[in-house]
Amino acid sequence: MKSLRNIPAIDELLADERVKTLISRYARDLVVNKAREVVAGLRDLLKNSDEDLTRSEITTRIINQLSARLYHCTRGTLRKVINATGVVLHTNLGRAVLSPAAIRYVNEVASSYTNLEIDLDKGERGSRYSHVEDLLKTLTGAEAALVVNNNAAAVLLALNTLASGREVIVSRGQLVEIGGAFRVPEVMRSSGARLVEVGTTNKTYRRDFEQALTTETALLLAVHTSNYRIVGFTEEVPLAEMVSLGRSTGLPVMQDLGSGVLYDLSSWGLAGEPTVQECVRQGVDVVTFSGDKLLGGPQAGIIVGRAELVERMKRNQLTRALRVDKLTIAALEGTLLEYLNGEPRKQIPVLAMLTASPEELAARATRLCGALEAALGPEPRVKFIRVVETEDRVGGGAYPIHNLPGYGVEISFSGDILSRVARNLRIGEPAVLTRLQDNHMIISVRTLRNDDEQLLVTRLVDVLGGNDE
Ligand SMILES: *Cc1c(COP(=O)(O)O)cnc(C)c1O
């Protein structure tokens, strides 16, 4: 209680040279607001305390807290994370890392005016959607293309345009939920279309679709079961059958592909996901997929398909609400150009990570292990560090039952410091996310970027040296 009367008034604080320095560095209003918060907090604290502090002690305490608070609230919250989990497309970690070409494009477009909506040839108003449309047509073989905010938006737009107020037939086995609350029945409801589920969880036949046809039917929908597989006694209607049913009834067929592979990964043990080109070739009328999953680009929802249907989507009012930003278009164009005239498997980080050879991964793990041993030296809190085989994953709702055999470094700590080390790695800078398994720390090298290995060594040395706490 006693110290309360020694708390300085805000004006007095603002006159302090140390606070004046803060005001020269940060916005004045911010400093004043944070000073009020700190003073209020300290007043609450001192009310119930017998601490006897002088005015000068209290002022110093307030200024130290103020300074720390200003630092934290002005450094932003989105930052680099070193992904040592071995999950290539980690939705929580922002999915795909962009290619150098995509980053160059973003840089160029962000730092100047652009021809986003102007046709430079004719000198007339143009369309932002024209920029990647030709590239997408060339790469997928489709008649037309449209890019929106994400794949959830693509599905919503397609359903709303093609089936609002009418019925859409889907197999029960494909009523997918994707992390982050994309659920087929709910997207369907939001779009205004009525879901007609047919078949059973494990078996759906062509005749199930045929029996559900009514004069209200507007669309036949197939959804890629991105993040699960139904195995055992199962049956789904193959895409070719869906297309043939669509042709004979005059109904469009849509496939929500989810991941949208453009590059055939079957030579790298990743078979079984249909490529976008394959779906188009089979005659599917509308295909939707994500820009930031296996494509390896920015967050975006890509719609390719028959020109007449895509044209109707472009004219839908919803398109304006779901439209993509110029930075997205730039990143997508840079990524797609890599597929057309570059070296996608080398230059697009997602593809490079997925197709890294076991020999390369083993060599990188050995190098990292050596660097860690050398940097940590004899350290009593580390029981052992060794190279191990890891089970990496594609992630991002693709190849859900595939393990990617990889390599990494396993660290065993003595005592029970593992979770504290993991936490300190997470909250420091740059943040490091590792995998904890059987009371050990596993660092997969597949998902480490160029200079991550060195940074990781430094962070571990800092954490164990106590410099971080
Ligand atoms: C990932 C996925 C979505 C959602 O895509 P976003 O780009 O995350 O909006 C929708 N459908 C399927 C089948 C998916 O795999």
Side-chain angles (χ1 to χ4, degrees):
M1 272 303 256
K2 274 189 279 188
S3 304
L4 278 184
R5 62 173 181 276
N6 284 335
I7 294 179
I10 296 292
D11 282 344
E12 200 181 325
L13 272 176
L14 296 181
D16 188 291
E17 283 307 317
R18 291 166 292 178
V19 178
K20 281 188 184 158
T21 310
L22 291 176
I23 290 174
S24 71
R25 203 174 325 143
Y26 302 100
R28 184 190 162 86
D29 284 352
L30 180 69
V31 178
V32 174
N33 286 337
K34 292 293 159 193
R36 290 214 170 92
E37 283 176 25
V38 171
V39 166
L42 197 66
R43 180 167 289 129
D44 281 346
L45 198 78
L46 293 179
K47 247 188 239 164
N48 309 310
S49 140
D50 327 319
E51 265 187 290
D52 193 6
L53 300 171
T54 66
R55 197 171 199 77
S56 145
E57 283 167 343
I58 291 185
T59 304
T60 300
R61 198 190 279 195
I62 290 173
I63 292 171
N64 287 345
Q65 282 184 19
L66 177 61
S67 173
R69 209 173 275 208
L70 286 167
Y71 170 73
H72 278 287
C73 79
T74 54
R75 70 178 182 151
T77 53
L78 193 60
R79 57 179 63 105
K80 173 190 168 90
V81 171
I82 293 177
N83 175 9
T85 65
V87 181
V88 176
L89 291 165
H90 203 307
T91 299
N92 302 147
L93 301 184
R95 292 194 186 158
V97 171
L98 294 178
S99 68
I103 293 165
R104 271 200 308 277
Y105 256 68
V106 171
N107 221 327
E108 189 175 316
V109 164
S111 49
S112 61
Y113 290 101
T114 67
N115 62 337
L116 182 66
E117 291 189 351
I118 186 163
D119 182 330
L120 292 173
D121 186 39
K122 299 200 182 105
E124 294 167 359
R125 195 194 155 100
S127 160
R128 71 177 57 216
Y129 300 107
S130 65
H131 296 285
V132 284
E133 178 159 10
D134 281 342
L135 272 174
L136 284 166
K137 280 158 50 177
T138 308
L139 285 165
T140 64
E143 286 176 15
L146 174 62
V147 181
V148 290
N149 179 60
N150 59 8
N151 187 37
V155 174
L156 178 72
L157 177 64
L159 290 175
N160 179 267
T161 309
L162 305 177
S164 181
R166 298 178 64 201
E167 293 176 354
V168 178
I169 310 180
V170 193
S171 160
R172 279 213 168 79
Q174 300 181 352
L175 297 177
V176 176
E177 171 177 316
I178 307 289
F182 173 92
R183 309 176 101 197
V184 170
E186 279 158 35
V187 174
M188 192 78 76
R189 203 170 313 128
S190 305
S191 75
R194 289 197 301 279
L195 170 66
V196 177
E197 7 175 329
V198 296
T200 60
T201 306
N202 58 325
K203 289 216 171 205
T204 302
Y205 305 96
R206 177 180 171 132
R207 64 168 187 274
D208 293 321
F209 273 82
E210 286 167 343
Q211 283 161 6
L213 292 167
T214 71
T215 53
E216 289 291 288
T217 309
L219 183 72
L220 308 177
L221 175 65
V223 185
H224 186 54
T225 57
S226 301
N227 49 8
Y228 65 99
R229 289 286 179 271
I230 296 178
V231 293
F233 189 57
T234 65
E235 183 90 32
E236 274 295 353
V237 186
L239 216 46
E241 283 282 309
M242 297 268 292
V243 170
S244 117
L245 184 60
R247 292 287 182 275
S248 65
T249 53
L251 291 167
V253 175
M254 169 170 151
Q255 161 105 62
D256 173 18
L257 253 190
S259 229
V261 196
L262 283 181
Y263 191 88
D264 187 357
L265 290 164
S266 49
S267 313
W268 287 272
L270 290 167
E273 297 259 339
T275 61
V276 180
Q277 302 88 301
E278 185 57 35
C279 291
V280 171
R281 196 156 46 230
Q282 289 205 25
V284 179
D285 301 289
V286 175
V287 184
T288 63
F289 54 100
S290 294
D292 56 355
K293 290 185 181 170
L294 285 171
L295 183 79
Q299 176 189 305
I302 301 168
I303 304 169
V304 299
R306 262 181 35 221
E308 180 253 326
L309 303 177
V310 175
E311 272 313 310
R312 278 167 59 195
M313 294 181 213
K314 285 184 188 167
R315 288 195 302 269
N316 188 329
Q317 271 298 308
L318 261 184
T319 302
R320 177 62 176 75
L322 305 174
R323 83 176 184 187
V324 273
D325 165 59
K326 63 185 175 185
L327 301 183
T328 303
I329 296 175
L332 188 59
E333 189 156 44
T335 309
L336 293 174
L337 282 171
E338 200 70 63
Y339 281 94
L340 207 60
N341 55 15
E343 290 182 294
R345 198 178 73 69
K346 294 218 176 82
Q347 296 299 327
I348 295 179
V350 169
L351 298 181
M353 288 179 195
L354 290 175
T355 60
S357 72
E359 296 77 28
E360 182 202 329
L361 295 173
R364 284 171 57 193
T366 305
R367 194 173 63 211
L368 177 61
C369 189
L372 282 169
E373 278 169 339
L376 292 175
E379 162 59 68
R381 285 168 299 171
V382 175
K383 275 201 281 197
F384 63 78
I385 305 179
R386 66 177 179 206
V387 172
V388 287
E389 291 185 3
T390 56
E391 289 185 349
D392 300 339
R393 301 202 74 88
V394 179
Y399 301 95
I401 53 175
H402 257 83
N403 272 331
L404 292 172
Y407 283 88
V409 175
E410 179 181 44
I411 308 178
S412 171
F413 296 98
S414 46
D416 56 358
I417 63 168
L418 175 64
S419 63
R420 211 177 71 233
V421 172
R423 182 183 142 77
N424 284 337
L425 283 175
R426 231 168 42 233
I427 63 178
E429 254 178 85
V432 180
L433 225 66
T434 57
R435 205 160 42 175
L436 306 186
Q437 194 173 300
D438 303 328
N439 226 15
H440 297 158
M441 177 174 282
I442 310 271
I443 295 164
S444 277
V445 294
R446 184 189 298 274
T447 45
L448 298 182
R449 305 289 300 142
N450 312 330
D451 49 357
D452 283 356
E453 283 172 30
Q454 192 47 52
L455 289 168
L456 212 156
V457 172
T458 311
R459 285 298 327 280
L460 255 170
V461 169
D462 280 352
V463 165
L464 287 172
N467 301 349
D468 260 25
E469 290 168 75

